[in-house]
């Protein structure tokens, strides 16, 4: 691969970012403008003082059309949704369960486990009615768990609380404990009521806590494999995890558990036996990595498999950690084997994408990771931001000590984790870790999105639709990346829009094969003929055509 | 197998819904509100509801779906949502400048008991609602009814807030189209225009949720019923409401409030229901039926007669919304098909169930009906005795694939195909399209299953 992509990006050409920012704020009432001003930041990297501070993980402004979802969506939808063999019961009125039913494209392969359980195509709900809101829903929940067991015989049942459950005070955890005793299978609950926190992020935290409390560590069997890793924050959208596992297998790296793409409860239970945790989506899962390190001694590193270069770099990081000549050799061989095909497609496509400009407003890591793929295509990121990130996702984990915990975050449980008396086993000695660090392998670190973004780009947290529309008018990017709610609005502007949550039914985009898929997809999108047809012939040249037609 | 854990053995369930055949009220209210011109639907609750509803509607229509939210956090859930709604109203008018904000509640704001009219009054008193602009509301707790009743509630709110008496009676007919596609609403408008009728259709999502691409995004597309037209509904000579569940409440409210007489009909899906629709318009407005409609009707009868052998006796499983399910069932029976499994998730009531049962009277096979059922039960019935065709929303495709059954997509939501928002299934033309879709599914299957020897070119 060429090295050009790693050079610091030249500043963004175009409208004066200060002026754009002022325009974005102009229409807001003063109080809203003051708040948004701290969430719309002009990126500064050239000064060398580190990136400027951004406000993130604060309440959505009521009335502004935000991209965000809720705590339940983060917990049930994102983190637990992709686990195929847990019966996930939504305790609440029907809507929440319905909307989180098969809408995330988490692929799974039940044939890879002996029991073949797969409950993902099912939606389980207690469908609470008015009388349960008035008299309490615990009885119905208990009965629903029993019926789920009678009908499906799963090895685990999880219960997710929705807004009204929290309000009426159903003790879902007590019901779960009771049913766990009655049925003899693992039954546990998540207090992930939609109103908790300020975005999906609260739900990720709650999901991770409960999985850590109720599942991780239940099975101490150390499985086969010399280099055993967990892949955290990879949800197997469009088969991403399958591609990463393909590469791992080729390298001789064993995946113990993926949290939570193509996952099973048994893999979670056994995950603490791995030697290294690899974090893809920092935002959704850094908690699990932190807790697993404290309790069991498994170190973690941030990796990124979005982009061919990023994939190669991440594989080298893993090899560096294990520090085994055979593995290093295999990793290099795999990279050498895989890259030519990627490079060939890139060489073919790059002349058609070079210099085009993208905007990305997605999730809590993808808006960063995908900039890598755009760089590989010679494209620039004009502006980016996250839907539910915290400051560390933007500015890097170094800001963690200075992040203020507000009331909305304080309500979410922090687990007090300490080393397990029997099972804590540091995978590397302090000396080994120090030596690896000296060679440039950073543990427990994530530098965040902003340091890698061009000078003068606009970093916008929790962008509103009003701001989105204005950004498009100001910059007319060649492609915009966001989610389904934004998709058709952007396209009505005449701008191609790529969904980076669901991949628009495409994918995988991770790993080497994924990079090729993405290159082709972006080439198709930014060069599609359809964007040249928005005006009818009589709209572009209305006056003269008829007069001279006979000539 | 995708639904590998579904077995034919049915165990009684009283608490667990599996694979629901309905969703919650607010999404229906949001869809109805989008049928008012210049309207911003507003979800009063935590932001997840609005995000889910916008996502689901966007996936179904493949169009921009606007809405705002009160974005409750824990504080609002404890202390009430008044501050959030006041702030939202202020921001929405300042930033997005709609004509109307249509507020619907969620299970959260309903449970804590927020009083929307009181909060809106306060917003008006504080000058947060600009002159000439409106805030309307519907109560749509998610633990009551379904998306269909939510749609009905917001449609009724249009009457409650806007319909006015006082002017002279006009010749206009109000048309309440029911929870149908934008294409269906456009088709109803075309049919009434063919008859030379003046109509006010509300809500009307045609042109809003099936708009053109021009390179210029318009937050408020030219479609939708205007506030001015909604005011005039009180002076119309009559109301035709289609679909008892989705449209009945609004029609009756208009009768009570403004003494506009109403006729509540089934959705005009299929020959007989469309006949009743056209005939009702004809009698109510005192106009003749356009020859063009009689011509289309004849074309539809022609297809049915020509293709009858392919319909006759075919066993069909249907799952869908009550109004749709009833009309479709009547249509299939009229084709001499056998709708044998009928499931709706919406709690539609005893009277509805009776009508559904009446619709299948005379079908020479055992018919199973469940009102307030789910797709798991529907699938179990199919496992017990198979069918030749299934009709339902996109989730039914899992059943169709597992059981290898021809399948026609109909209803809400359709997440994996286009067409529903552009091509109607109501009226004679819509009926012809439905016939085409059913025939395509059945005949494609016949071709697929034919041996090389039995594979033939002509019918």
């Amino acid at each position: 691969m060429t090295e050009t992509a790693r050079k610091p990006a030249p500043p963004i050409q175009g409208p004066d970012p200060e002026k754009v920012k002022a325009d974005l704020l102009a229409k807001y009432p003063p109080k809203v403008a003051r708040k948004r001003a701290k969430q719309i930041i002009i990126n500064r990297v050239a000064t060398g003082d580190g990136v400027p501070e951004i406000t993130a993980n604060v309440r959505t402004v009521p009335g502004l059309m935000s991209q965000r979802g809720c705590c339940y969506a983060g917990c049930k939808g994102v983190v637990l949704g992709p686990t195929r063999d847990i019966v996930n019961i939504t305790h609440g009125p029907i809507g929440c369960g319905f909307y989180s039913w098969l809408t995330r494209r988490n692929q799974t392969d039940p044939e890879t486990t002996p029991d073949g359980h797969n409950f993902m195509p099912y939606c389980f709900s207690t469908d609470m009615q008015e009388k349960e809101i008035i008299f309490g829903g615990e009885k119905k929940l208990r009965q629903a768990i029993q019926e789920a067991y009678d009908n499906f015989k799963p090895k685990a049942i999880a219960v997710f609380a929705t807004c009204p459950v929290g309000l009426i005070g159903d003790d879902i955890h007590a019901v779960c404990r009771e049913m766990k005793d009655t049925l003899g299978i693992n039954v546990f609950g998540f207090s992930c009521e939609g109103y908790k926190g300020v975005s999906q992020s609260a739900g990720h935290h709650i999901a991770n806590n409960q999985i850590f409390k109720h599942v991780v560590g239940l099975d101490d069997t150390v499985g086969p494999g010399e280099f055993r890793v967990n892949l955290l924050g990879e949800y197997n959208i469009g088969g991403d995890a399958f591609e990463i596992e393909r590469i791992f297998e080729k390298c001789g790296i064993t995946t113990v558990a993926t949290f939570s793409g193509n996952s099973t409860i048994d893999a979670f239970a056994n995950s603490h036996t791995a030697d290294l945790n690899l974090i893809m989506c920092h935002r959704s899962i850094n908690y699990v990595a932190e807790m697993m390190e404290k309790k069991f001694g498994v170190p973690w590193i941030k990796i990124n498999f979005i982009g061919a270069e990023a994939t190669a770099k991440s594989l080298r990081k893993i090899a560096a950690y294990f520090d085994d000549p055979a593995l290093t050799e295999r990793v290099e061989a795999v990279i050498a084997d895989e890259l030519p095909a990627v490079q060939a497609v890139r060489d073919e496509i790059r002349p058609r994408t070079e210099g085009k400009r993208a905007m990305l407003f997605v999730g809590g890591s993808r808006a960063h990771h995908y900039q890598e793929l755009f760089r590989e295509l010679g494209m620039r990121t004009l502006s980016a931001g996250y839907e539910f990130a915290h400051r560390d996702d933007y500015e890097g984990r170094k800001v963690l000590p200075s992040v203020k915990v507000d009331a909305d975050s304080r309500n979410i449980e922090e687990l007090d984790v300490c080393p397990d008396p029997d099972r804590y086993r540091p995978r590397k000695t302090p000396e080994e870790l120090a030596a690896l660090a000296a060679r440039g392998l950073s543990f427990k670190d994530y530098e965040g999105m902003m340091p890698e973004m061009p000078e003068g780009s606009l970093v916008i947290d929790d962008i509103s639709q009003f701001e989105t529309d204005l950004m498009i008018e100001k910059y007319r990017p060649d492609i915009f990346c966001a989610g389904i709610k934004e998709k058709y609005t952007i396209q009505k502007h005449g701008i191609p829009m790529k969904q980076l949550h669901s991949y628009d039914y495409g994918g995988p985009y991770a790993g080497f094969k994924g990079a090729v898929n993405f290159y082709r997809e972006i080439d198709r999108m930014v060069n599609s003929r359809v964007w040249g047809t928005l005006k009818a012939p009589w709209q572009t040249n209305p006056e003269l055509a008829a007069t001279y037609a006979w000539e | 197998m995708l639904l590998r854990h579904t077995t034919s053995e049915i165990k009684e369930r009283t608490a667990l819904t599996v694979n629901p055949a309905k969703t919650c009220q607010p999404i229906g209210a949001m869809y109805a509100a989008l049928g008012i011109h210049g309207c911003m639907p507003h979800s009063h609750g935590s932001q997840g509801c609005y995000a889910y509803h916008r996502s689901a509607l966007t996936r179904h229509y493949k169009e921009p779906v606007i809405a705002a939210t009160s974005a409750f956090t824990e504080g609002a859930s404890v202390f009430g949502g008044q501050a959030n709604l006041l702030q939202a109203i202020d921001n929405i008018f300042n930033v997005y400048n709609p004509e109307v904000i249509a507020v619907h509640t969620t299970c959260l704001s309903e449970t804590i008991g927020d009083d929307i009219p009181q909060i809106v009054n306060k917003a008006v008193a504080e000058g947060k609602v600009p002159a000439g602009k409106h805030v309307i509301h519907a109560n749509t707790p998610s633990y009551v009814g379904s998306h269909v009743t939510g749609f009905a509630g917001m449609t009724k709110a249009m009457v409650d807030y806007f319909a006015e008496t006082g002017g002279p009676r006009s010749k206009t007919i109000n048309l309440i189209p029911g929870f149908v596609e934008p294409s269906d609403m456009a088709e109803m408008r075309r049919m009434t225009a063919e008859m030379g009728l003046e109509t006010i259709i509300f809500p009307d999502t045609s042109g809003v949720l099936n708009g053109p691409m021009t390179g210029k995004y318009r937050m408020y597309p030219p479609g939708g019923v205007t506030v001015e037209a909604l005011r005039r509904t009180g002076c119309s000579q009559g109301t035709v409401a289609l679909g008892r569940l989705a449209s009945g409440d609004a029609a009756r409210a208009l009768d009570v409030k403004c003494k506009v007489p109403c006729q509540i009909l089934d959705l005009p899906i299929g020959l007989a229901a469309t006949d009743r629709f056209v005939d009702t318009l004809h009698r109510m407005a005192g106009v003749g039926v356009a020859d063009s409609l009689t011509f289309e009707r004849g074309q539809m009868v022609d297809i049915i007669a020509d293709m009858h052998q392919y319909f006759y006796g075919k066993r069909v499983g249907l799952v869908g919304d009550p109004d749709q399910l009833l009309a479709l069932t009547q249509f299939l029976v009229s084709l001499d098909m056998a709708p044998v499994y009928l499931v709706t998730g919406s709690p539609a009531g005893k009277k509805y169930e009776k009508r559904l049962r009446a619709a299948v009277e005379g079908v020479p096979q055992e018919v199973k009906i469940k009102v307030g059922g789910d797709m798991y039960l529907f699938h179990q019935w199919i496992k017990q005795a198979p069918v030749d065709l299934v009709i339902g929303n996109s989730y039914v495709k899992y059943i169709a694939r597992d059981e290898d059954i021809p399948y026609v997509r109909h209803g809400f939501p359709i997440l994996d195909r286009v067409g529903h928002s552009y091509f109607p299934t109501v009226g004679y033309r819509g009926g012809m399209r439905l016939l085409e879709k059913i025939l395509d599914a059945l005949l494609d299957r016949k071709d697929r299953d034919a041996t090389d020897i039995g594979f033939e070119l002509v019918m």
Side-chain angles (χ1 to χ4, degrees), chain B residues 17-222:
Chain B
T17 293
V18 185
N19 297 356
K22 65 165 179 183
T23 183
C24 63
Q25 289 211 77
I27 195 171
M30 190 183 277
Y31 177 54
L34 289 165
I36 303 175
H37 178 70
C39 179
M40 176 70 78
H42 181 87
S43 168
H44 185 53
S46 61
Q47 68 210 7
C49 306
Y50 124 110
Y52 272 142
H53 301 148
R54 284 181 73 202
S55 295
L57 290 174
T58 304
R59 287 188 176 114
H60 178 81
Y61 294 105
K62 318 251 179 280
E63 286 288 315
V65 172
I66 57 164
T69 168
S70 294
F72 278 37
T73 54
E74 211 148 28
S77 309
V78 176
F79 301 114
Q82 173 166 300
N84 290 51
L85 186 52
L86 289 175
Q87 200 194 348
I89 289 172
D90 193 29
N91 285 331
I92 292 168
F93 280 125
N94 271 298
V95 179
Y96 299 113
N97 194 30
E99 297 300 313
V100 181
I101 298 175
V103 181
H104 58 261
T105 53
T106 63
C107 40
L108 174 47
S109 56
E110 282 288 332
T111 308
I112 63 175
D114 274 352
D115 179 349
I116 306 298
Q118 174 264 317
I119 300 173
V120 172
N121 285 339
K122 194 167 160 62
V124 172
E126 289 176 2
K128 290 186 164 73
V129 182
K133 307 271 181 174
H134 312 273
V135 183
I136 67 172
H137 96 288
N139 290 96
T140 51
S142 319
Y143 41 75
V144 174
S146 74
H147 58 294
V148 180
T149 43
F151 179 94
M154 187 53 83
T155 306
K156 178 173 176 288
M158 295 174 199
V159 172
D160 294 342
Y161 276 91
F162 293 122
E164 286 177 359
T165 44
R169 280 271 174 229
S170 70
K171 287 195 159 164
T172 306
I173 303 280
N174 301 321
L175 189 57
I176 312 180
F179 198 141
V180 293
E181 296 290 327
S183 49
D184 294 322
M185 298 181 189
E187 177 64 4
M188 291 174 190
R189 191 180 328 106
R190 186 191 70 86
M191 291 173 74
T192 55
E194 293 279 298
M195 293 175 73
L197 293 177
E198 237 178 79
T199 48
I200 298 170
I201 300 183
F202 73 94
D204 182 1
T205 57
S206 66
V208 180
L209 290 169
N210 57 1
M213 187 177 291
T214 60
K216 182 103 184 93
Y217 168 63
R218 298 176 71 165
M219 184 169 273
Y220 308 108

Side-chain angles (χ1 to χ4, degrees), chain B residues 222-235:
Chain B
V225 61
T226 61
V227 169
E228 188 270 330
L230 282 172
R231 287 199 174 117
R232 283 192 286 115
T233 55
C235 297

